[in-house]
């Protein structure tokens, strides 16, 4: 049970700054928490909520939607056997049964020594090297029962440590940007009150204004929001069938536009 | 129609070099020269070039990218989101492009961002693809450091930030409105339509273009060679090249880049340079032409061209370019069950017909496969399918030669995940009812003493 370490908080702030709205960093931040502890703890979610200006329930409610986030301790190695159609046709059902036998647990469970969690997963995009297994999201293509046994032995002996980091470590390489190279071109999204109701919605002006008024408080509380983006360098050139240039930039229901 | 190889577009660099993902190799082989060319033109000129190419989106829906870009109202800020949440069963082309030629993706995204005057670009990569994450991250880091991304790109006065973002395991996020929800830090649930296009109301309710990784990877070539040159490749109504992931019971499964619409399924499965024939020279029983969501095709469809305008009227779709071949030994009930289970698992839960219907169908399949099936289960499956997608459901007829029901299906749900869950059910049930009955009759038979 732990909050994010100071180094991770610094990293989290760096990630948050790459989005016009820091809330967009929610999923990357939960990944950071899972990387730290191997699973997502309640304290970490509380901490992420504080960083984002969201509620812990919003963080948990969002994170629990996504299958990769674990809310209980899992094994050092999460072994994912794909059993979707292409792997199934190549014998993944039998491979999964074999894996259950070798590890001594059913799919979804963790071995008593905490080394392995076995999962029966959906398509992992390796269909031409089926049946495919992922260990902590690293690929092990074209598996047979024999190669699977070797894989388990190698993992247990630590021979694959260079290829397979502990569970939670998704990418060992992060996008790094020197501050002077960051353009800041996106800026912050405009406060919701100023956002255009948009042409295709066809909402009445009153409705849009009412909705905007309701949402305005929420947007104003976003911490650390940068000033709105500067206008683009050149005026917008209308596409072939445009809104007349005189149309109000925001407000007004506008016309419906569909693909021709 | 015979198969004629064409010069690859999106796999040109990666098929030649193992280190195509490094900046040095990519630049040495021409990466970012299209970006330089684009920056010498106005954004409108670049947009016109892509429009002339008629680059149909490679994510599944096939909507032309140039037309999509033109749907944006004149409002700022506006965003570009690149959809790398490839999760359709049977599909893996975007992963290859991200892992092995990430600079091509970034260059395509930068050119697109320039053409649509985006304020910022985001590349959303599926969470389970750790190597793609690492390669994209390294490529972006290098691109920033060397002046290909960020402030004053290539020494010009144009700046563009590209943010790499991580998914976390949700098939539904491949839907573009669900992707935008996810990118906003929320549950990835599709938004009600209208608005039909995020071009009008997208990320942070601002105009947004969502394009697929393979679509982006085509952009540099188009800018360098011209829209007309791209449109000249392929068939009359489908242009350029397309990547197909061929898997299942073929001798040489693999990802192949071929001229769009220029070959038939027979060519793809049997040509020695492609699939090389069915495993162990067995008979073909069925194949899925466009990923797990697509209604199945059978032997009589082998001579159809891999052209969306041909496949659609025949009752299915090319979708994301995932073709799964099943030979005569395949248990069709089990195959359909596995796909239904997938959709039941991946339903986001927003629309009742999909949330409840898909899991009911899964339960019925488990009953049938577990020896507890009833004869009336077959009608029940059809009835539930009808509730998700009011029939007649697209697909081939019950017998070869029967009139097909053209694609797409109707739907009672916000997004197409619900109707997709019906595809394996109706496809297998119409053509192989006897396989279902065999399970059910075995269940009804008295226990041998």
């Amino acid at each position: 049970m732990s909050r994010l370490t100071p180094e991770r908080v610094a990293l989290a702030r760096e990630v948050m700054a790459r989005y016009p709205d820091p809330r967009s960093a929610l999923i990357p931040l939960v990944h950071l928490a899972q990387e730290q502890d191997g699973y997502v703890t309640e304290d970490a979610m509380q901490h992420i909520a504080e960083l984002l200006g969201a509620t812990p329930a919003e963080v948990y409610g969002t994170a629990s939607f996504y299958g990769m986030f674990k809310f209980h301790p899992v094994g050092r190695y999460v072994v994912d056997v794909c059993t979707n159609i292409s792997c199934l046709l190549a014998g993944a059902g039998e491979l999964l049964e074999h894996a259950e036998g070798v590890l001594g647990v059913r799919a979804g469970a963790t071995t008593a020594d905490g080394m392995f969690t076995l999962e029966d997963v959906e398509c992992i995009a390796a269909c031409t090297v089926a049946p495919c297994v992922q260990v902590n999201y690293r690929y092990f293509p074209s598996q047979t029962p024999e190669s699977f046994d070797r894989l388990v032995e190698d993992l247990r002996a630590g021979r694959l440590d260079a290829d397979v980091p502990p569970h939670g470590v998704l990418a060992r390489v992060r996008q790094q940007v020197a501050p002077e190279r960051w353009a800041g071109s996106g800026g912050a999204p405009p406060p919701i009150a100023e956002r255009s109701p948009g042409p295709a919605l066809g909402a009445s002006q009153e409705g849009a204004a009412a909705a905007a008024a309701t949402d305005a408080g929420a947007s104003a509380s976003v911490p650390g929001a940068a000033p709105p983006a500067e206008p683009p360098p050149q005026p917008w050139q209308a596409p072939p069938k445009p809104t007349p240039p005189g149309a109000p930039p925001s407000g007004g229901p506008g016309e419906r536009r569909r693909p021709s | 129609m015979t198969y004629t190889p064409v010069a690859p577009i999106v796999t040109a660099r990666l098929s030649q070099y193992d280190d195509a993902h490094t900046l040095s190799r990519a630049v040495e082989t021409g990466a970012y020269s299209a970006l330089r060319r684009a920056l010498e033109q106005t954004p409108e000129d670049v947009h016109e070039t892509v429009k002339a190419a008629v680059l149909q989106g490679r994510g599944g829906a096939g909507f032309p990218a140039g037309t999509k870009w033109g749907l944006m109202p004149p409002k700022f800020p506006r965003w570009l989101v690149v959809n790398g949440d490839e999760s359709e069963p049977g599909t893996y082309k975007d992963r290859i492009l991200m892992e092995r030629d990430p600079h091509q993706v970034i260059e395509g995204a930068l050119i697109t961002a320039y053409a649509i005057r985006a304020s910022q670009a985001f590349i959303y990569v599926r969470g389970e693809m750790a190597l793609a994450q690492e390669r994209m991250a390294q490529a972006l880091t290098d691109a920033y450091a060397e002046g290909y991304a960020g402030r004053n790109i290539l020494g010009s006065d144009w700046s563009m930030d590209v943010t790499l973002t991580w998914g976390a395991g949700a098939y539904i996020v491949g839907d573009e409105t669900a992707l935008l929800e996810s990118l906003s830090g929320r549950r990835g649930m599709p938004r009600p339509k209208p608005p039909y296009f995020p071009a009008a109301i997208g990320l942070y309710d601002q105009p947004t273009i969502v394009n697929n990784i393979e679509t982006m990877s085509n952009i540099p070539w188009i800018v360098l060679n011209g829209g007309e040159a791209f449109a000249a490749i392929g068939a009359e109504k489908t242009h350029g090249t397309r990547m197909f992931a061929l898997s299942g019971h073929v001798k040489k499964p693999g990802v192949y880049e071929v001229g769009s619409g220029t070959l038939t399924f027979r060519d793809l499965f049997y040509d020695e340079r492609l699939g090389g024939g069915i495993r162990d020279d067995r008979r073909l029983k069925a194949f899925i032409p466009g990923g797990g969501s697509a209604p199945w095709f059978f032997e009589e469809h082998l001579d159809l061209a891999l052209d969306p305008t041909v496949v659609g009227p025949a009752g299915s779709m090319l979708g994301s370019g995932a073709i799964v071949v099943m030979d005569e030994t395949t248990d069709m009930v089990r195959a359909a069950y596995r796909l239904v289970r997938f959709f039941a698992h991946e339903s986001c839960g927003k629309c009742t017909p999909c949330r409840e219907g898909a899991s009911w169908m899964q339960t019925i399949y488990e009953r049938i496969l577990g020896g507890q099936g009833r004869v009336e289960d077959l009608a029940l499956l059809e009835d539930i399918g009808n509730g998700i997608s009011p029939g007649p459901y697209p697909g081939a007829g019950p017998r070869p030669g029967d009139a097909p029901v053209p694609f797409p299906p109707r739907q009672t749900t916000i997004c197409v995940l619900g109707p997709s869950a019906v595809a394996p059910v109706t496809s297998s049930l119409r053509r192989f009812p006897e396989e279902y009955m065999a399970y059910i009759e075995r269940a009804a038979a008295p226990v041998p003493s």
Side-chain angles (χ1 to χ4, degrees):
Chain A
M1 286 292 153
S2 53
R3 291 163 64 85
L4 298 179
T5 60
E7 298 77 53
R8 279 178 196 282
V9 170
L11 201 53
R13 291 200 190 282
E14 208 179 298
V15 172
M16 285 159 62
R18 299 218 177 112
Y19 297 92
D21 181 346
R23 169 81 190 242
S24 285
L26 192 148
I27 294 170
L29 261 51
V30 179
H31 272 302
L32 284 180
Q34 179 151 289
E35 185 176 275
Q36 174 176 299
D37 299 316
Y39 71 107
V40 187
T41 66
E42 278 185 32
D43 285 354
M45 286 189 280
Q46 172 82 44
H47 198 176
I48 290 168
E50 289 164 19
L51 289 169
L52 295 178
T55 67
E58 283 173 321
V59 175
Y60 179 59
T62 303
S64 58
F65 182 83
Y66 297 92
M68 286 174 72
F69 295 134
K70 314 295 180 200
F71 300 95
H72 300 283
V74 291
R76 178 179 169 85
Y77 300 113
V78 174
V79 178
D80 290 345
V81 179
C82 173
T83 59
N84 209 309
I85 185 76
S86 301
C87 287
L88 181 83
L89 295 174
E94 294 70 21
L95 181 69
L96 180 67
E97 270 179 38
H98 177 80
E100 289 180 333
V102 170
L103 297 176
V105 291
R106 299 298 297 269
T110 302
T111 56
D113 61 2
M115 276 293 269
F116 298 101
T117 297
L118 181 65
E119 293 183 327
D120 169 2
V121 298
E122 302 298 352
C123 186
I124 52 177
C127 315
T128 66
V129 284
C132 192
V133 167
Q134 276 189 331
V135 181
N136 295 349
Y137 305 106
R138 271 65 189 179
Y139 286 97
F140 293 90
S142 305
Q143 290 294 307
T144 61
E146 297 72 39
S147 68
F148 185 83
D149 293 349
R150 281 197 300 279
L151 173 63
V152 169
E153 275 170 38
D154 288 347
L155 286 167
R156 224 189 273 277
R159 283 193 288 269
L160 292 172
D161 283 359
D163 302 321
V164 184
H167 180 256
V169 180
L170 190 58
R172 290 160 296 183
V173 182
R174 299 182 204 280
Q175 180 184 4
Q176 285 174 346
V177 181
E180 70 278 10
R181 293 290 313 135
W182 185 258
S185 55
I192 288 170
E194 288 173 22
R195 287 184 202 173
S196 52
L201 195 61
S204 74
Q205 214 156 356
E206 294 79 18
T214 324
D215 290 338
S219 93
S221 69
V222 175
E230 288 176 12
Q234 298 167 39
W236 165 259
Q237 296 289 313
K241 281 186 251 168
T243 307
S250 68
E255 88 280 34
R256 278 167 186 271
R257 210 179 305 156
R258 294 282 155 75
S260 49
Chain B
M1 195 177 279
T2 52
Y3 168 60
T4 319
V6 296
I9 292 178
V10 291
T11 61
R13 186 177 299 124
L14 68 87
S15 58
Q16 239 180 318
Y17 300 100
D18 284 341
D19 61 350
H21 60 277
T22 61
L23 181 68
S24 54
R25 177 65 76 189
V27 168
E28 180 196 310
T29 50
Y32 298 108
S33 56
L35 176 63
R36 200 179 295 272
R37 181 85 60 89
L39 294 183
E40 289 161 3
Q41 306 167 28
T42 66
E44 290 68 35
D45 289 342
V46 178
H47 186 175
E48 283 304 319
T49 304
V50 174
K51 230 194 257 176
V54 199
L55 170 62
Q56 286 153 330
R58 301 309 201 227
F63 195 77
T67 312
K68 201 183 211 180
W69 298 358
L71 297 173
M72 294 181 117
K75 296 191 176 80
F76 294 89
R78 49 174 57 189
W79 321 105
L80 170 67
V81 177
V82 182
N83 185 346
D85 193 69
E86 175 180 67
S87 321
E88 179 74 22
T91 312
Y92 85 107
K93 55 186 185 65
D94 296 345
R95 177 166 79 81
I96 304 276
L97 294 171
M98 290 188 284
E99 286 179 358
R100 300 190 45 198
D101 200 351
H103 287 287
Q104 183 173 245
V105 176
I106 295 166
E107 185 181 13
L110 286 167
I111 294 169
T112 304
Y114 179 72
I116 65 171
R117 295 175 189 272
S119 312
Q120 189 173 344
F122 304 87
I123 301 180
Y124 188 107
V125 179
R126 182 178 170 191
E128 287 93 333
M129 297 178 177
L131 182 60
Q133 300 270 2
E134 292 179 348
R135 291 270 170 89
M136 290 297 307
Q138 188 63 52
L140 277 169
T141 300
D142 294 345
Y144 262 94
E146 299 298 323
Y148 297 107
R151 193 181 290 271
N152 299 116
I153 291 173
L154 292 169
S156 71
D157 59 358
W158 184 69
S159 300
M160 176 55 50
D161 283 321
V162 184
T163 296
L164 177 66
T165 194
W166 309 346
Y171 165 74
I172 187 62
V173 169
D175 173 281
E176 58 184 8
T177 59
L179 182 80
L180 297 177
E181 287 295 303
S182 182
L183 191 50
S184 310
R186 299 192 162 76
R187 293 175 159 245
M189 289 170 149
R191 298 176 180 172
K193 284 105 184 152
Y196 292 96
F197 290 98
I201 300 179
L203 184 63
Y204 314 130
D205 293 347
Q206 290 296 119
T208 305
I209 291 297
V210 184
N211 276 146
N212 168 266
I213 293 280
E214 189 188 345
T215 311
M216 288 293 96
S217 298
N218 275 292
I219 300 288
W221 192 96
I222 291 171
V223 167
L224 284 180
N225 297 277
E228 289 75 18
F230 185 86
I233 303 171
E236 194 185 338
K237 287 179 182 159
T238 176
H239 308 291
T241 63
R242 278 202 67 166
M243 288 174 81
F244 289 101
L246 177 63
S247 65
H249 296 153
V250 285
K251 287 182 184 166
K252 285 165 50 189
V255 181
Y256 300 100
E257 184 179 357
V258 297
S260 193
T262 62
L263 76 171
T264 63
F265 289 104
R266 190 185 299 281
D267 296 330
L268 182 64
F269 300 168
Y270 291 96
D271 193 289
E272 285 305 321
R273 294 162 291 182
L274 302 168
I278 308 295
R279 179 186 72 163
D280 301 332
D281 292 319
R282 290 207 177 94
R283 245 185 97 155
L284 175 79
K285 189 168 182 180
F287 61 98
I288 309 177
S293 303
W296 299 359
F297 272 174
F298 308 97
E299 251 188 323
E300 73 264 25
H301 298 101
L302 273 174
D303 291 312
L304 295 183
L306 276 81
D307 179 335
T309 59
V310 172
V311 170
S316 191
M317 64 162 181
L318 279 183
S320 52
I323 300 175
V324 184
V325 174
M326 297 182 257
D327 75 11
E328 57 188 324
T329 65
T330 311
D331 180 337
M332 291 309 185
V333 184
R334 210 170 152 216
Y337 160 65
R338 188 58 190 82
L339 286 167
V340 167
R341 199 190 97 183
F342 167 76
F343 289 111
H345 180 252
E346 297 296 338
S347 173
C348 78
K350 191 165 186 166
C351 311
T352 313
C354 169
R355 180 188 64 233
E356 302 299 327
S359 52
W360 289 347
M361 291 199 294
Q362 178 184 345
T363 305
I364 294 168
Y365 270 97
E366 283 167 358
R367 179 156 85 201
I368 293 172
L369 288 166
Q372 304 286 318
R374 310 161 193 165
V375 177
E376 55 271 29
D377 280 346
L378 304 189
L380 192 53
L381 281 174
E382 279 185 7
D383 185 53
I384 296 169
N386 210 44
I388 303 172
S389 176
Y393 194 82
R399 288 174 306 277
D402 289 346
V405 180
F407 207 77
R410 284 178 271 187
Q411 62 194 70
T412 58
T413 52
I414 288 173
C415 83
V416 293
L417 190 148
S420 299
V422 185
V425 181
T426 53
S427 300
S428 57
L429 199 50
R430 264 181 217 163
R431 190 56 72 100
F432 308 104
E434 71 285 354
E435 293 198 23
Y436 284 81
M437 284 310 294
Y439 271 105
I440 290 167
E441 279 161 9
R442 219 177 301 158
V447 179
S449 54

